[in-house]
Amino acid sequence: MLTRIDHIGIACHDLDATVEFYRSTYGFEVFHSEVNEEQGVREAMLKINETSDGGASYLQLLEPTREDSAVGKWLAKNGEGVHHIAFGTADVDADSEDIRSKGVRVLYEEPRRGSMGSRITFLHPKDCHGVLTELVTSAPVESPEH
């Protein structure tokens, strides 16, 4: 069962400048940052709030580390902006199989590693009314890593 909006992914050309905008404009601070080589992105997670299921909601800022990454290709075609929405779930495996059984294309056969040690998969935007949708099972969060 989907429990919350885990994060909204925002593609950007300059991660540092975009982080500074969200910090100076809204007061959001970086909770976690990392480079995901597999996905070809440098990212920053800005924590917005805690949630009743023990998770949190974030903005995920994504800067491609290579032009041929999914985010790099998306940026070249669409420019900066909202890239995807992610819903939190306690069991990404079960929920992705349930959604697949309803005729929605799940982009990964098996969930992959996502931000902060989470497990993720994506749903095809053409099956989700034009919205690239991510399902996320968060790893236990002990403390922020920068």
Side-chain angles (χ1 to χ4, degrees):
M1 176 176 73
L2 305 181
T3 58
R4 68 185 184 286
I5 294 175
D6 184 86
H7 67 270
I8 297 171
I10 299 172
C12 61
H13 292 291
D14 183 334
L15 184 66
D16 296 328
T18 307
V19 164
E20 178 55 25
F21 168 80
Y22 281 96
R23 189 200 61 70
S24 65
T25 305
Y26 305 116
F28 298 151
E29 297 293 338
V30 173
F31 178 77
H32 175 86
S33 61
E34 69 181 85
V35 174
N36 186 320
E37 295 294 344
E38 179 184 0
Q39 293 182 24
V41 293
R42 184 173 154 237
E43 65 179 80
M45 297 293 272
L46 286 64
K47 187 184 239 181
I48 307 305
N49 67 328
E50 303 290 335
T51 61
S52 62
D53 67 358
S57 293
Y58 302 90
L59 286 181
Q60 179 187 45
L61 307 179
L62 300 159
E63 175 190 69
T65 58
R66 56 182 196 270
E67 291 179 15
D68 69 340
S69 70
V71 172
K73 292 176 186 176
W74 190 91
L75 260 174
K77 180 179 177 182
N78 301 292
E80 294 184 308
V82 174
H83 180 261
H84 67 274
I85 187 167
F87 295 109
T89 172
D91 190 343
V92 69
D93 297 274
D95 284 336
S96 62
E97 284 307 312
D98 179 57
I99 290 169
R100 180 180 279 134
S101 75
K102 295 173 181 171
V104 175
R105 287 174 282 181
V106 178
L107 299 182
Y108 303 154
E109 284 301 314
E110 296 290 326
R112 298 181 181 176
R113 182 196 173 281
S115 301
M116 301 185 291
S118 63
R119 297 187 70 242
I120 64 165
T121 196
F122 285 90
L123 310 178
H124 200 292
K126 289 185 179 178
D127 297 343
C128 299
H129 297 271
V131 178
L132 179 61
T133 304
E134 182 179 5
L135 304 180
V136 178
T137 296
S138 299
V141 177
E142 294 179 21
S143 65
E145 296 176 20
H146 295 282

